[in-house]
């Protein structure tokens, strides 16, 4: 799980965490990252995730009975 406390919102912490996640995934050769997030994170759905390049996608929920929304980020292929 990835979580930033409300007291740290709008400080760049989330963007730094996602930048490190993207760097790790690029290095590992992944082509896509799928983020499954609670529907309670509406602010992040509308602003944070799109600003990071994530787009809404439909995938089978990983957490069963939790209402969620999924976003995907396409990664560039690594050499």
């Amino acid at each position: 799980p990835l979580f930033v406390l409300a007291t740290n919102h709008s400080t760049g912490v989330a963007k730094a965490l996602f930048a490190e996640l993207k760097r790790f995934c690029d290095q590992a050769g992944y082509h896509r990252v799928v983020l499954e997030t609670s529907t309670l994170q509406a602010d992040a759905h509308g602003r944070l995730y799109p600003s990071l390049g994530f787009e809404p996608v439909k995938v089978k929920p990983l957490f069963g009975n939790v209402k969620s929304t999924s976003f995907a980020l396409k990664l560039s292929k690594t050499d």
Side-chain angles (χ1 to χ4, degrees):
L2 181 64
F3 181 81
V4 175
L5 293 173
T7 55
N8 291 318
H9 288 183
S10 299
T11 63
V13 172
K15 287 186 179 187
L17 287 170
F18 276 105
E20 179 59 21
L21 171 68
K22 184 179 183 306
R23 185 200 62 76
F24 173 85
C25 292
D26 278 335
Q27 248 183 357
Y30 299 132
H31 300 287
R32 184 171 86 145
V33 174
V34 176
L35 166 68
E36 183 174 353
T37 178
S38 164
T39 56
L40 299 175
Q41 306 300 322
D43 192 43
H45 294 178
R47 296 185 339 183
L48 177 62
Y49 305 141
S51 77
L52 298 169
F54 283 85
E55 297 180 357
V57 294
K58 292 191 183 259
V59 295
K60 182 179 178 183
L62 297 174
F63 299 108
N65 60 354
V66 176
K67 289 185 179 181
S68 64
T69 302
S70 296
F71 295 84
L73 175 65
K74 293 180 183 174
L75 301 172
S76 59
K77 290 186 178 180
T78 57
D79 294 333

